[in-house]
């Protein structure tokens, strides 16, 4: 896991300098333009950023999508045309931005994170999505082209639900809703992993298992780091002081806020569960150690004294010099007595272990 | 345990689409209607939802109960007839809702969780109960038919207590009271389990015991996740800003709030106790390991040197070549001296262990 | 320890039903009446509750004491005569109540817990004390007759201190003061136990010791659960908004509040100390395990190779077939060389252990 | 460590009774009087408390010092002469008081703790210092005579700094400053101990070391218990609502507050470091156990199979009955082959351990 | 690591005495003066502090840099000339100051910490930087000459960005921005170390590794101790109540605040990760112990019983006295049967271990 987005290349630079701070996730910047009102729907993949400029003055709702952030020239044109503050543009380009909301005179600026969960590595992939909400259009900056918003586009196209009758603010809400719903998807995947580990724990007590638990723990730390500012952001939207959102959209935002809280609650529960898994793992290790030691102790405790006994009668004291020297060797039933003694000692120890409940 | 309610089927859908998100817990949706005032009491099991519509305009108090949420048509009729907001209906259908309260012009909407404890699996079962409180009637949506409210119904029927003299708000309070009291029942069961584990801990130091402790821990995490929003919800009710509750009902709500706090306090105490149990378990494991190692060490430490001794006198150095070679074997009392040595070494080691307090 | 007061018998009942929820701690309900002003003092043990009714209209200060809560009839008479709200009476009877304060038109209602520490079991015993403070008299409900208030009564009788010159509010303060002072007594006892365990820890590393530490931990959890609402309660009293307390009593209440904070501070410190004891215990267990393993390892590591050596010279290879077979057996000083080798190996290993600081 | 100041002797007593609750730390109560203004400086050790009374009406600044609190008569005289509230006097005498500030009409009452660190026992010694700040004089009660304030007295005497030009409030600030600076001294000592333990940890892995870490932990708990009310106290002073402090003194108080915060920050860091030390200790114990077990396992694993081998050729099967019985014994190079086998097995196991990185 | 800045030499001194409390980090105090406006830029290394005085009355922006704090005379001159409050000067000289901001009539005083990370020792080096912001010039006190601000100076010189067109407040922001950006650099280094440890953990399970983890933990404690007051400080700047900052600079300060929050978030995540590393380390130690014990147990459990068997047939019972004595020795295939038994027992135990999944 890349623990930290490199920042060092920027130290000492003028704030507001246009440098794309992130990995280039696709080759060429792509542009989409969706334009609709209650009666009309149009979706075009455009070549030049200038084709998006007329949206500014149309009455219909427009949704301009920019995939890829590394073409500085295009960014500058957008900045000029749509009157975007230099600091806003800098935040869009710096993909290590914290989720936040900023109110400007002409528009509302929202930075938010889309989260994907990589099932293989149990790590999060984070994509920064920047929304600029004007009165009747939205510009949406993504790091790469994805398909998360396709169902939403379908919905608009097919005129399902209330979305075609409503303004750009409702579109912004719908976009945020898709993003927050994606957090549920991530939680589902993490939940599956927790259950899988939970079931496999006793079967497979390897270091690799501890590693998987620790990876999940880190992923949850990472997730949580993104959730608190998200919560703050959406909470701010539900309060009245934010313009650009009609009061009829506020109940939907409140619903969104409820979802965010639910995501946070579940994340916190998962964190506790994962730390419980780690405890269980440690306990299982201890139990297994106990098991191992018990086997060793039982075997050693029984056979070490018996070996001593056998050792005694293997000694070569001279039986002929005196009858004090190892007279047992000359007994008629000496060997049988020896075995009797072996059985007595062995049986006694087994009884002792049984009473201690070791076997 | 299902860690997480599936949500994924809904991503990208229009908010407010009527999809029942939960398991279907009974085959057919059932409807009840209770209608009473100070002098009259009527309870009917109705077939068609339309039979409940007249309650809207009656002066007596009505309690409409809907068991099962999967009949979309019925829901739509209720929505139209009782003027329910689409987002409210969506919340009723999504049984993964967080407990909450929402104030609308015509009614108060309350989502709350009924909790059952499954003694076998030590897991919680959660049923979502949605209440819509109008001026003089209540619609109550449950996932399945249960008997928790029967004593309350009996009380109304037998005109015991103050309930028949009071309005729909008091009925709402009474329903909430039953739900909160149920939390005490769950805590009682959990408390019993804690005591049972506490008593059995030293007898039964198995991995299964650790598992039971961990399950209880998870159950308490799960319970707590439901309690904080419950507390918030009831706290809001006690404050003056919520309409639909008469001021004479407020002391009862305050009482309810006290109960909720008590449930939370006890849950927190239980959490600490359960984590104490885990500590005790780990300590007991360590103690047992110590015990095992002590037995092994005592036996091995005594008999390994003695075996060495016996081994020496089993060697075959040629005693006839020189009198330097193992003269002990030719001693008259060699064997007796050997045993003396054995007793000395064994006794000395036992004394050493006694002084170290190992035996 | 009873972890939880049973509540289940009440689910579904009408709130306000008079059911005594607690154990009956003494056979018969008893009543006391103390009546005093600056010049007069009277203390009577009364038979019928009606004998207490005249206090209501007297100008002198009266303190009515009810020991035992299970006589429903008497409670009903008190309720009627002294105008007690049904919910208040219910709270008095439910001894699992949380400490709290409620302001009514005629009186102030205080629920508070008297705590005793059982030195044998290291558990808390909790008695609920309910105070109803009127303008010039107090009704005090206790679960059983105790002697905690005797010094206070002596003080009033002997007219020591300011108490005879002051009103019922100061009497209420004095009662609360006795109760809070009792918490110090409990802390003293717990502190003694912590010290005792601390001193005995290394001598007595048994599971029983871990158990005692865990019991103390639970007792502190239990104590703390009672302290936070107590603090809240007394804090509320010190603020101006509570009537029934003269402003001249407020500095005393503030003093009481300081004491409560001190009790909480000490409880928190004790909690940390007890968790430190548990750490020490675990460390001591680990240390002892190390000790045991060291003894085993030293003995085994020295004697196992030596036994091997002795075993070699006990082999029966035919020395007569060839001079390659165990020629050592035929050496003149073979046995002496063997012992030399034993001393060399043994000494070398001892030197190795010494260098590793194991011995 | 005395965990808790005895309080029990006071239960049930009238609040405000003059009982000295603390240990008598010096035989005889002593009194000092310092009197100065910009031009004059006088320091006298006085015999009778009455000699201090004239200070009350002088215009110059007076600092009355009382060392020792157990002479009740003197306290009563001071109380009457300087109009001290009985509860204040009680707080002065009860040396288990929590640090606090109280505003009265004629004076400001400050209780604060002077802390000393005993390097031998790693424990804190706490002395309660009570300040009563009037318009132009201060009464300062200490438990015993110490030399902490000597540099301050020297400063006043030598007229260094601003102190002679300022009022009694600045003197009070200067006294508080000495007390807070003393906390830094204590932290320095604790810091030295942490470093000492840190360096010695690996050398000296004894139970005594764990004990020292635990003692430090307790000392920090103890220190912290005193710091939070101190912080609160000084914060209150910096706010405008406290009279008796001129606005020109407020920046100095703010400086003092900064120091307090720094003390708290450092204490918290130390707490984390000490808990880190405990972790390191546990890790080191585990590491050592691993080390011990590795030695045992290597030795036992090599020599136990070899002993078995030697044991085989020590068996007495009758070689003359059939050539199937132990033919190896009769081989010409049997013994050499045995040693070859020993070297092979031993070498193989050593290689195995090397590959596992145990040696 | 020096855990604590020595303070003790100052106890009892007059507050405001000019004593440099820190290590002298460079031999001679050095002075720089930068002077610029939109059209002009001048940078001079000055000898005497008096050369900086004219900046006070110029209209252009001046940045006076003082490297080294130990020349008291120069400090006094600066104090007089620029009207610096004695407490401010004391704070500048005491390099153990907490980051803070103080508003004076003529200037704003900011104390802030520059952080460097020493890769070798994994420790932080902290340099205190004090800024005094006047209307049109800044005095900046550093402990030693460094090159962190060089890129900023280059930017001003080359007139890049907006900086030349703006006032002294923007310069102050730019300086703070460099300092905060440096925290990212430190986090990058710490992140690298975490990754390095994470990768090496399983390879290298030595005490030294535990030590490195613990060092990182301490460094993060140290870092965090500096971050919270930094956050507070910058938060205060973004609020309107601070003068000396033009409203056009506030968005930049808000950006800076976002960065600070991000630093804190990352620090907290790192803390959790490092504590996760410690858990992993402990788990790995336990796993390895299990591994070691398993090898020992398998070898010992197989060979100890076999050795006993071999010991039996090495006994010297007199076979000639009776046929009961060790008849096996005289069997024709006795030795072969012995080996069969050995294979049976050994195989059986291997099967048992395989079933237990130990091998």
């Amino acid at each position: 896991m890349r623990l930290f987005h490199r920042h060092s290349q920027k130290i000492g630079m003028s704030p507001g300098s246009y440098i794309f701070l992130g990995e280039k996730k696709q080759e060429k910047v792509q542009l989409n333009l969706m334009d609709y009102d209650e009666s009309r729907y149009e979706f075009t993949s455009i070549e030049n950023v200038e084709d998006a400029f007329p949206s500014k003055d149309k009455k219909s709702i427009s949704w301009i999508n920019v995939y890829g952030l590394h073409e500085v020239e295009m960014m500058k044109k957008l900045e000029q045309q749509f009157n975007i503050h230099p600091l806003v543009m800098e935040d869009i380009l710096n993909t290590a931005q914290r989720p936040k909301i900023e109110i400007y005179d002409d528009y509302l600026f929202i930075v938010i994170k889309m989260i994907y969960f990589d099932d293989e590595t149990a790590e999060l992939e984070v994509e920064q999505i920047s929304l600029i909400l004007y009165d009747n259009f939205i510009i949406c900056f993504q790091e790469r082209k994805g398909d998360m918003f396709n169902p939403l586009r379908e919905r608009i196209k097919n005129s399902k639900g209330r979305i075609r009758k409503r303004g750009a603010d409702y579109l912004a809400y719908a976009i945020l809703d898709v993003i927050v719903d994606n957090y549920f998807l991530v939680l589902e995947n993490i939940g599956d992993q927790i259950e899988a580990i939970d079931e496999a724990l006793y079967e497979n007590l390897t270091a690799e298992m501890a590693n998987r638990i620790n990876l999940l723990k880190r992923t949850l730390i990472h997730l949580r780091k993104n959730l608190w500012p998200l919560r703050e952001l959406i909470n701010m939207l539900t309060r009245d002081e934010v313009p650009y959102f009609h009061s009829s959209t506020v109940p939907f935002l409140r619903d969104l806020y409820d979802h965010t809280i639910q995501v946070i609650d579940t994340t916190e529960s998962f964190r506790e569960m994962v730390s419980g898994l780690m405890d269980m793992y440690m306990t299982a290790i201890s139990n297994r150690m106990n098991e191992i030691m018990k086997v060793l102790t039982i075997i050693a405790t029984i056979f070490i004294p018996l070996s001593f006994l056998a050792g005694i009668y293997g000694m070569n004291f001279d039986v002929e010099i005196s009858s004090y020297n190892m007279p047992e060797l000359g007994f008629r039933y000496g060997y049988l007595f020896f075995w009797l003694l072996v059985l007595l000692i062995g049986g006694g120890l087994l009884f002792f272990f049984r009473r201690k409940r070791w076997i």
Side-chain angles (χ1 to χ4, degrees), chain A:
Chain A
M1 175 165 23
R2 195 70 292 174
L3 291 182
F4 195 68
H5 286 272
R6 300 286 143 175
H7 220 273
S8 45
Q9 65 233 56
K10 237 199 101 188
I11 290 185
M13 274 191 192
S14 163
S17 39
Y18 295 160
I19 292 188
F20 171 53
L21 290 165
E23 317 163 52
K24 208 160 116 182
K25 287 185 181 159
Q26 62 176 29
E27 210 41 57
K28 218 185 145 315
V29 171
Q30 284 184 284
L31 281 153
N32 273 344
L33 173 61
M34 180 188 281
D35 195 273
Y36 67 90
D37 57 20
E38 222 176 317
S39 55
R40 208 167 46 77
Y41 172 87
E42 200 179 330
F43 181 83
T44 43
S45 182
I46 56 181
E47 281 296 301
N48 298 309
V49 66
E50 286 83 1
D51 299 347
F53 293 171
S55 312
K56 202 179 160 186
D57 308 309
K58 282 195 201 158
K59 286 218 158 155
S60 58
I61 311 299
S62 303
W63 175 8
I64 303 161
N65 239 308
V66 183
Y67 303 111
L69 307 171
H70 50 279
E71 281 189 21
V72 177
E73 277 314 299
M74 179 187 296
M75 291 301 169
K76 285 209 170 145
K77 282 182 196 160
L78 282 166
E79 181 184 327
Q80 278 175 343
Q81 188 64 24
F82 293 106
N83 203 15
I84 300 170
H85 192 280
L87 276 175
V88 167
M89 198 39 105
E90 193 193 8
D91 286 347
I92 291 169
L93 293 172
N94 177 0
T95 55
Q97 205 50 46
R98 223 174 159 253
K100 67 172 175 180
I101 186 169
E102 274 173 4
I103 304 166
Y104 287 85
D105 289 344
D106 296 354
Y107 52 85
L108 194 70
F109 174 52
I110 298 171
V111 181
I112 194 166
K113 302 286 181 178
M114 181 74 106
I115 303 272
Y116 309 92
F117 182 74
D118 184 337
D119 236 28
E120 288 301 297
T121 61
E123 284 174 20
L124 292 185
E125 206 181 317
V126 180
E127 187 196 4
Q128 175 164 317
I129 292 180
S130 311
L131 285 181
I132 306 184
L133 166 62
Y134 293 81
D135 268 338
N136 62 341
F137 65 101
I138 286 174
I139 314 178
C140 172
F141 297 87
Q142 289 182 253
E143 291 183 55
R144 61 162 182 211
K145 198 162 180 176
D147 52 5
M148 288 314 293
F149 295 120
N150 286 351
L152 173 61
R153 285 197 193 92
E154 283 303 303
R155 191 139 57 82
I156 298 172
K157 189 176 168 187
N158 301 332
S159 187
K160 284 211 313 210
R162 2 176 151 60
I163 195 158
R164 286 276 283 275
K165 294 168 200 147
R166 296 205 171 226
D169 64 322
Y170 190 87
L171 178 59
Y173 151 71
I175 291 170
L176 293 176
D177 191 47
V178 168
I179 290 167
V180 170
D181 271 355
N182 218 30
Y183 279 89
F184 282 103
L185 211 73
V186 168
L187 285 179
E188 247 184 73
N189 289 326
I190 293 175
D192 287 348
Q193 291 235 357
I194 290 175
E195 280 178 62
I197 290 173
D198 197 33
E199 274 157 30
L201 197 64
Y202 288 98
E203 307 305 302
N204 183 5
L205 221 56
T206 56
E208 191 258 333
M209 189 56 101
N211 216 22
R212 269 175 72 191
I213 298 174
N214 202 41
L215 266 180
L216 267 191
K217 206 164 145 192
R218 273 200 201 173
T219 299
L220 286 166
I221 294 172
H222 195 23
L223 182 58
R224 185 168 169 249
K225 199 178 135 189
N226 283 291
L227 282 173
W228 288 98
L230 177 70
R231 176 202 152 125
E232 216 175 289
L233 185 161
I234 296 179
N235 190 23
M236 250 184 91
L237 287 179
T238 60
R239 278 188 255 123
D240 286 338
E241 64 244 40
V242 177
Y244 298 100
F245 276 99
H246 298 262
S247 67
S248 68
T249 311
V250 168
F252 294 94
L253 290 170
R254 220 136 48 195
D255 204 60
L256 196 63
Y257 181 67
D258 282 354
H259 289 175
T260 317
I261 297 292
Q262 223 175 332
V263 170
I264 287 174
D265 279 3
T266 308
T267 305
E268 292 302 320
S269 298
F270 279 6
R271 272 167 57 92
E272 295 198 57
M273 276 178 202
V274 165
S275 106
L277 279 181
M278 205 49 161
D279 286 359
M280 289 309 290
Y281 180 84
M282 291 304 287
T283 309
I285 291 272
S286 290
N287 267 319
R288 164 157 294 194
M289 180 77 93
N290 255 343
E291 194 80 347
I292 290 170
M293 293 310 302
K294 262 197 319 215
V295 169
L296 175 61
T297 302
I298 289 166
I299 294 291
T301 304
I302 289 174
F303 285 101
I304 286 178
L306 294 181
S307 277
F308 169 61
L309 205 68
I312 282 170
Y313 296 111
M315 294 193 299
N316 299 320
F317 281 97
D318 195 339
V319 296
E320 281 160 22
I321 276 179
S322 83
S323 61
Y324 294 115
N325 275 353
M326 313 191 68
E328 305 95 321
L329 295 180
F331 289 177
R332 191 177 173 83
Y333 301 108
Y335 185 54
L336 297 184
F337 282 127
F338 167 80
W339 273 110
L340 204 69
L341 205 57
V342 164
L343 293 179
L344 270 178
I345 293 174
L349 286 167
L350 284 177
F351 178 77
F352 170 80
F353 294 135
R354 161 76 59 199
R355 222 194 47 196
K356 279 200 167 254
R357 299 216 201 165
W358 291 6
I359 46 177

